[in-house]
Amino acid sequence: MSAPDDHSGEDHGGLNRPRQVASAPEGRVVPTVRVQEAPFDLAAESAALVAGRVDVGGLASFVGLCRADDGLAALVLEHYPGMTERAIAGIAAEACARWPLTGCTVIHRHGRLEPGAPIVLVLTASSHRAAALESCAFLIDWLKTRAPFWKREEFAGGAERWVEAKAEDDAAAARWEMRGA
Amino acid sequence: MRVLYFAWVRQKVGVAEEDVSPPPEVRDVAGLVAWLAARSPGHAAAFAQARQIRAAVNQEFATPDASLAGAEEVAFFPPVTGG
């Protein structure tokens, strides 16, 4: 299935394991965290995470978008400036501690976002796919329950309501709790 | 002490933030909620369902029994709904 030169992040083990060494020095990954009103550029952020490196075998991405449920006209995201950045940085640091990541980017937008608009970007890079995919899922699950954002829905007729926290989001976040910690 | 309100808690209280000086017997988050709730009808409405309110002390999530010792900034808000 895999070509001999396939260094796509699959863990072939043994002789087929990629032999390149990291171009960046060993050490702690410093996650990129931004909270902004402006849109983000998935391609540019992805390129930035792997630029100049040859130790990245997998890059996982999650983009959360605004859905047009029930005639929604817009979502208005409020957040807690200061705490938001701290909370996301803490969650990203937790991901870097749990998985061997080479890079991590989290960008969360706030303000008024219309259906189809991207809301949140999570990027994780690692030598192997499992770490990238798992840490990406972990990050978005914990962002939903641990980052201080609140969504208000605006509807075409002028009605509005605050989105309520969902039990399934708590359950999704809870599956990453460390047992015995 | 600076107190911040977010989302529908802010709407019900009527202000986004205020400086308050609670008496010394207000020692924890739950005590502050009870004290703030008596400040105005808006505060009372915001804190009427205490179970739906979350708090942060100095920008860290805090439980109702969390101490206010050293608290410079306390925030109240609904459960978060980002992502």
Side-chain angles (χ1 to χ4, degrees), chain A residues 78 80 86 149-151 162, chain B residues 7 10-11 60 73 78 81 83:
Chain A
E78 179 173 335
Y80 182 171
R86 266 171 82 152
F149 287 91
W150 301 274
K151 290 190 184 112
W162 290 96
Chain B
R10 168 179 51 75
Q11 290 179 326
E60 300 276 356
E73 184 174 296
T81 55

Side-chain angles (χ1 to χ4, degrees), chain A residues 122-162:
Chain A
V122 176
L123 290 176
T124 51
S126 182
S127 295
H128 301 291
R129 71 184 185 284
L133 289 167
E134 288 172 13
S135 60
C136 188
F138 162 82
L139 278 161
I140 190 63
D141 282 347
W142 272 29
L143 281 171
K144 284 189 95 72
T145 55
R146 298 184 180 222
F149 287 91
W150 301 274
K151 290 190 184 112
R152 183 163 50 83
E153 296 173 321
E154 292 182 352
F155 296 93
E160 56 177 63
R161 71 178 177 211
W162 290 96

